[in-house]
Amino acid sequence: MQITDKDRELLALLGENARMPVANLARRLGLSRTTVQARLERLEREGVIAGYGVRLSEAFQSGLIRAHVLITIAPKSLPMVSAELDAIRQVTTLHSVNGSFDLIAILAASSIAELDGLIDRIGEIDGVERTLSSIILSTRISR
């Protein structure tokens, strides 16, 4: 995959607003609309752009209780634990990490009580040996 500086600028603009019209993207990049459209199609075809999504407003997200849950799992239980976590819709992201923990799950719940129940539910999954949770107070940078 060959990514140019203009491709990176295009991806950054799409990261700000994935619904920005191609004509606006072209104007901001100093390129023709046809060139930008061709770049978008190439980036999609090559799998650089896998899809377009929704970015939730800060006002909406501020009503959610978010937390990092660090998870230690038993040997050879990663596929089963990952599948169980995937089934929990409040698990928004799951990372494999190195160190004393194996996974970091990012949770978003509507209340502390719901978050508490989710953390208990994660701790009860077969193969989960221990968890350590931290509530996210605020997000300083999100790109």
Side-chain angles (χ1 to χ4, degrees):
M1 257 179 273
Q2 195 76 331
I3 303 295
T4 67
D5 288 341
K6 282 293 185 187
D7 291 337
R8 291 182 210 294
E9 289 179 52
L10 174 58
L11 293 171
L13 289 171
L14 290 172
E16 292 172 17
N17 179 3
R19 293 183 52 157
M20 188 179 295
V22 174
N24 291 2
L25 292 167
R27 190 171 27 263
R28 302 260 312 258
L29 293 168
L31 300 172
S32 73
R33 185 190 180 292
T34 306
T35 299
V36 171
Q37 186 64 48
R39 283 177 185 264
L40 284 170
E41 290 170 3
R42 179 179 53 81
L43 292 168
E44 290 170 356
R45 186 176 56 253
E46 292 178 356
V48 174
I49 297 175
Y52 300 86
V54 174
R55 180 181 292 161
L56 301 174
S57 73
E58 186 57 39
F60 176 78
Q61 287 190 29
S62 68
L64 298 175
I65 312 298
R66 294 176 299 139
H68 292 164
V69 180
L70 287 75
I71 305 166
T72 301
I73 60 175
K76 300 182 182 180
S77 63
L78 179 61
M80 183 182 63
V81 171
S82 294
E84 291 283 336
L85 291 169
D86 186 42
I88 301 173
R89 68 173 175 74
Q90 296 91 337
V91 175
T92 61
T93 310
L94 183 63
H95 302 281
S96 292
V97 295
N98 69 332
S100 58
F101 292 92
D102 303 300
L103 301 169
I104 298 176
I106 311 298
L107 279 61
S110 59
S111 68
I112 292 290
E114 181 184 8
L115 181 63
D116 188 38
L118 289 167
I119 294 167
D120 288 345
R121 182 174 167 191
I122 290 170
E124 293 169 355
I125 294 172
D126 284 339
V128 171
E129 294 182 343
R130 75 181 165 117
T131 63
L132 177 66
S133 307
S134 295
I135 293 176
I136 299 170
L137 299 176
S138 68
T139 299
R140 304 293 179 163
I141 298 172
S142 178
R143 294 189 176 116

